[in-house]
Amino acid sequence: MSDLTSSPAWKALEAHYGTMKNVHMKELFANDSERFHKYSMKFEDILLDYSKNRVADSTMDLLYALAEQQDVKGKAQAMFSGEKINSTEDRTVLHIALRNQSNKPIYVDGEDVMPAVNETLERIKAFTNQVRDGTWKGHTGKVITAIVNIGIGGSDLGPVMACEALKPYAADHLKMHFCSNVDGTHIAEILKLCDPETTLFLIASKTFTTQETMTNANTAKTWLVGNFDGDETSVAKHFAALSTNGDAVSAFGIDVTNMFGFWNWVGGRYSLWSAIGTPIALAIGFDNWMEMHAGAHAVDQHFLQYDGKDNLPLTLALIGLWYNNFFGAETVAILPYDQYMHRFAAYFQQGDMESNGKYVDMNGKRMQTQTGPIIFGEPGTNGQHAFYQLIHQGTKIIPCDFVAPCQSQNNLPEKLGAPVDHHPILLSNYFAQTEALAFGKDESQVKAELDKTDMSEAEKTALVPHKVFEGNRPSNSFLFKKLTPRTLGSLIAIYEMKIFCQGAIWNINSFDQWGVELGKQLAKAILPELDGDSPVSSHDSSTNGLINYYKTNK
Ligand code: F6P
């Protein structure tokens, strides 16, 4: 047994679960008119309402006690002060330094990292300003009008998500493209849209060895140089690198003056605050990117300063853990009611699942309880017409985070002369969904509705169970004024710290990702076997069978 599941705080929660598992939220709300006030909090203009959860005061007290027992605060301080909390890679974890706008020194091996962080930010500022204002010219003297970011995982998802989320702040004259998949279709389709004279490629890779990224980067380079009659000097004006690996960048043929570096203490999935965020600065401007940093830094300060119920990310983490570890929920749905945030759930799929998808604890011992949840989600209202049925009436419990801005970036009556404002329609759905999930519709309500129809009694009786919503399905609601760069930065940091807290409680390493390695190794071994026609026999019968089917049909 791991220490966690036999610990006093865990045992107390287990016992408490017995008393809470059948309590309906209807009861909780009926018995406490102050429930919303008690179970909601604000961070700047971001309101978090967590009252529609299956928690009572005693639940929250026990959850906060668990966090204390697991020394979440001490572990947070260790991270912020540059201790090597990523033990399996012997690394510090300091994405927080990249947005440390207080500029207070943060030491790694006795050296303050802030001067190097600030110097790189200054270089990114100069570079992105030049590209945006047209000072940076392509090989033939033309202004850059298209950016192609080539990267995958953390070197793609964050920049894509932020560029999409903050589109209303983006420069119209720069078209952003993101190429991640090694499937040649991805780059082929992007290159169709690009003019070599006006395209700038950003090769975004922490390691600069990732197969997908290097394959796409080489294809892009060949395409560009080919378009300039084999003139390799064209690379200097059309390629920049975002990486920690200067040698590999030079070997690829990118001058290191066009390289924006970062450090091994920036995890890939936390790297949009580093040079990996350069495409964001190109799209929305460096100052807006810094606003994202400011929003995240403010959350960091909040996270360090407040305890227990006043700490927003911790509260979010504990509620998630309550369902994951005690109710047996396996998933979390992140549901932004903002089309611009359509990649937000995908971003935190990596953020959460790569961080907390671990079955051994820090000491290498097998976990005796569940760790990271499966994250999924789509923007509302699209998701409502796709998978919400299962959330409302399925057999699984799916805790949901609903996320929405009070103000739309697109007032259509003003912009397009549309007959109605879409935003109240969108938000009526946002409000309705959490209400429906929590309170449902009982048999008597269903019967009353059916009584108004001309159905026979038999037909009504048959239909009732299908139309009942039992409710008691949990959700958190985030509601903020408007999706600004600062707000987005804060929301990202809130989720990052939530993930941190859960990892700290489970005592797992949230900052390594060994689980992605085996597939990479095997693919490397298989690639040469795909050459030629001769059948392979070096694998299990299934893998041999699949490879050989491919070889006879390629
Ligand atoms: O395969 C997983 C991973 O290592 C991620 O953690 C990372 O974000 C991604 O690959 C890309 O890595 P790199 O930036 O080194 O190309």
Side-chain angles (χ1 to χ4, degrees), residues 378-400:
E378 284 290 326
T381 58
N382 293 3
Q384 291 175 203
H385 297 271
F387 55 82
Y388 280 31
Q389 164 65 35
L390 190 146
I391 304 180
H392 283 284
Q393 285 189 318
T395 50
K396 295 176 176 60
I397 179 168
I398 302 185
C400 300

Side-chain angles (χ1 to χ4, degrees), residues 150-157 204-214 242-244 262 267-271 276 350 354 512-513 516-517 520:
I150 297 180
I152 196 164
S155 300
D156 168 71
L157 290 163
S205 175
K206 180 176 169 180
T207 54
F208 227 73
T209 56
T210 302
Q211 185 193 45
E212 292 89 335
T213 301
M214 298 326 297
L242 319 173
S243 184
T244 59
F262 55 111
R269 53 196 172 272
Y270 300 95
S271 64
I276 292 294
Q350 185 196 21
E354 199 167 83
D512 62 11
Q513 58 283 320
V516 298
E517 292 305 320
K520 291 185 195 172

Side-chain angles (χ1 to χ4, degrees), residues 17 20-22 54 321-329 397:
Y17 169 69
M20 285 300 291
K21 65 178 186 216
N22 295 322
R54 295 164 72 169
L321 187 137
W322 177 230
Y323 296 117
N324 185 338
N325 292 113
F326 298 94
F327 283 79
I397 179 168

Side-chain angles (χ1 to χ4, degrees), residues 231-251:
D231 184 351
E232 295 263 348
T233 63
S234 58
V235 171
K237 288 292 169 202
H238 293 272
F239 275 79
L242 319 173
S243 184
T244 59
N245 188 347
D247 291 344
V249 168
S250 300

